[in-house]
Amino acid sequence: MANRFFEGAAHAAAYARFRPHPPQSLIEEVMSYLKGKYNGTLAAAVDVGCGSGQSTWVLAPHFTHVTGLDVSPAQITEATKKNTRANVSFKVSGAETLPFPAQSVQLITAGQACHWFDLPKFYAEADRVLVPVSVENVAGGVLALYGYLFPLPMYGSVSNQLVEIVNDVYNKDTEGYWGEGRADVDEAYTDPKFNLPLQDCSRDDSHYTDRTVSVTDLTGYISSWSGFQNFRAKNGDEAALDLLQNFQNRIMSVLGVDGTPEDIELTLRYKYFLLMGRKP
């Protein structure tokens, strides 16, 4: 069963506000890979572990219908509230039992999510619902798994110091509050359990996206971490707020500029990794 770290309404709202959209270059690579051998109609795509929808909407221009699935009702409520795409819908569902007929889906994606899944069961379900090889299609449907490492704050000559502060919150302040899946992300899905039981498997670590954010936004991103949320649940709101305030104060001290955290901007670079394979 998938771990359920993102179910609270407040956490879902923070997740929606502060988590990045996948790079357009990554989505273009996924679509190029799919269409490189698949000639059939692009009728259906499924985004599993969709969270608040960032990884779902980017598929809308390419398919007749796209469905985002998440085990958390709060995340699905947030995604539905923000949805403006007529061909996108969201459902509460785990990754291990996908609510679709057999051989009905051309693409399954999971963005920053599959490390929480029961992978053997998820792979079996992906095999069940992906379209098979046929004379018309030439190749079967595609499974694409991707994620991103902790973002690198960039601000001129003090960039390395900012990275150290983020690492301190992760390695010290929230140490012991992360689920087992976080280590899989740190290792960029290189564990053998992420080897896809498919054909034509590929890996790409070249994609990244930059976001201009305020110091307040960076602090908000920290608040969306599952490790921070687990810290808060165990230690209470006051301790959690102290952690965030200390983090923000350290960032502002290193930046050494006049202004408020809401006004001071820096760049966050998210580096992505992508695994893909085709149904045989």
Side-chain angles (χ1 to χ4, degrees), residues 165 169 173-174 215-216 218-223 228 231 236-254 259-262:
I165 296 171
V169 179
D173 296 337
T174 61
V215 174
T216 299
L218 177 58
T219 307
Y221 168 73
I222 300 297
S223 78
F228 172 81
F231 174 92
D237 288 349
E238 184 174 352
L241 290 173
D242 285 345
L243 185 158
L244 293 178
Q245 189 62 59
N246 180 61
F247 169 80
Q248 186 166 275
N249 290 344
R250 291 182 66 190
I251 294 290
M252 291 295 292
S253 177
V254 166
T260 66
E262 293 84 0

Side-chain angles (χ1 to χ4, degrees), residues 20 37 45 59 72 80 102 131 137 149 152 160 166 176 178 180 188 195 205-206 263 269 279-280:
K37 291 186 178 180
L59 300 174
S72 166
T80 302
V131 295
N137 299 335
L149 303 174
L152 303 175
N160 288 340
V166 174
W178 294 86
E180 295 180 0
N195 293 342
D205 295 272
S206 67
D263 297 328
R269 172 160 292 182
K279 181 173 178 176

Side-chain angles (χ1 to χ4, degrees), residues 147-180:
Y148 54 87
L149 303 174
F150 274 135
L152 303 175
M154 297 187 296
Y155 194 94
S157 62
V158 300
S159 296
N160 288 340
Q161 292 173 262
L162 298 179
V163 171
E164 288 179 7
I165 296 171
V166 174
N167 287 340
D168 279 349
V169 179
Y170 177 50
N171 294 316
K172 297 177 182 179
D173 296 337
T174 61
E175 182 184 11
Y177 291 94
W178 294 86
E180 295 180 0

Side-chain angles (χ1 to χ4, degrees), residues 1-270:
M1 181 179 179
N3 290 302
R4 307 175 77 148
F5 289 119
F6 306 102
E7 296 202 61
H11 189 201
Y15 195 93
R17 181 176 178 186
F18 299 115
R19 293 300 175 108
H21 294 262
Q24 184 60 34
S25 62
L26 185 149
I27 299 304
E28 289 174 356
E29 180 175 351
V30 171
M31 294 308 304
S32 177
Y33 178 88
L34 172 60
K35 293 190 286 188
K37 291 186 178 180
Y38 181 84
N39 296 328
T41 301
L42 298 181
V46 179
D47 180 32
V48 186
C50 67
S52 49
Q54 292 94 327
S55 56
T56 311
W57 295 307
V58 292
L59 300 174
H62 305 286
F63 294 87
T64 303
H65 191 78
V66 181
T67 306
L69 305 176
D70 202 280
V71 72
S72 166
Q75 292 282 13
I76 293 301
T77 296
E78 192 70 25
T80 302
K81 181 171 63 177
K82 293 181 177 297
N83 186 28
T84 60
R85 297 279 191 169
N87 66 329
V88 174
S89 62
F90 295 93
K91 295 181 181 180
V92 176
S93 174
E96 299 78 15
T97 305
L98 302 177
F100 304 101
Q103 303 181 1
S104 64
V105 173
Q106 285 76 40
L107 174 68
I108 297 174
T109 63
Q112 198 76 344
C114 71
H115 48 284
W116 304 126
F117 301 167
D118 182 323
L119 285 173
K121 292 182 179 179
F122 171 61
Y123 290 154
E125 275 293 87
D127 180 70
R128 181 183 68 82
V129 303
L130 284 172
V131 295
V133 175
S134 69
V135 173
E136 175 192 1
N137 299 335
V138 181
V142 166
L143 173 62
L145 310 179
Y146 63 91
Y148 54 87
L149 303 174
F150 274 135
L152 303 175
M154 297 187 296
Y155 194 94
S157 62
V158 300
S159 296
N160 288 340
Q161 292 173 262
L162 298 179
V163 171
E164 288 179 7
I165 296 171
V166 174
N167 287 340
D168 279 349
V169 179
Y170 177 50
N171 294 316
K172 297 177 182 179
D173 296 337
T174 61
E175 182 184 11
Y177 291 94
W178 294 86
E180 295 180 0
R182 182 64 230 182
D184 292 324
V185 178
D186 292 341
E187 296 168 0
Y189 291 0
T190 55
D191 189 284
K193 67 186 176 184
F194 293 98
N195 293 342
L196 301 179
L198 300 167
Q199 293 182 343
D200 301 331
C201 294
S202 70
R203 179 184 179 96
D204 187 350
D205 295 272
S206 67
H207 299 281
Y208 68 89
T209 186
D210 289 343
R211 295 184 68 192
T212 299
V213 301
S214 68
V215 174
T216 299
D217 290 335
L218 177 58
T219 307
Y221 168 73
I222 300 297
S223 78
S224 76
W225 289 1
S226 61
F228 172 81
Q229 292 296 325
N230 291 337
F231 174 92
R232 179 183 181 185
K234 183 172 182 179
N235 297 285
D237 288 349
E238 184 174 352
L241 290 173
D242 285 345
L243 185 158
L244 293 178
Q245 189 62 59
N246 180 61
F247 169 80
Q248 186 166 275
N249 290 344
R250 291 182 66 190
I251 294 290
M252 291 295 292
S253 177
V254 166
L255 293 176
V257 293
D258 293 329
T260 66
E262 293 84 0
D263 297 328
I264 305 303
E265 293 185 333
L266 45 79
T267 299
L268 288 185
R269 172 160 292 182
Y270 295 82

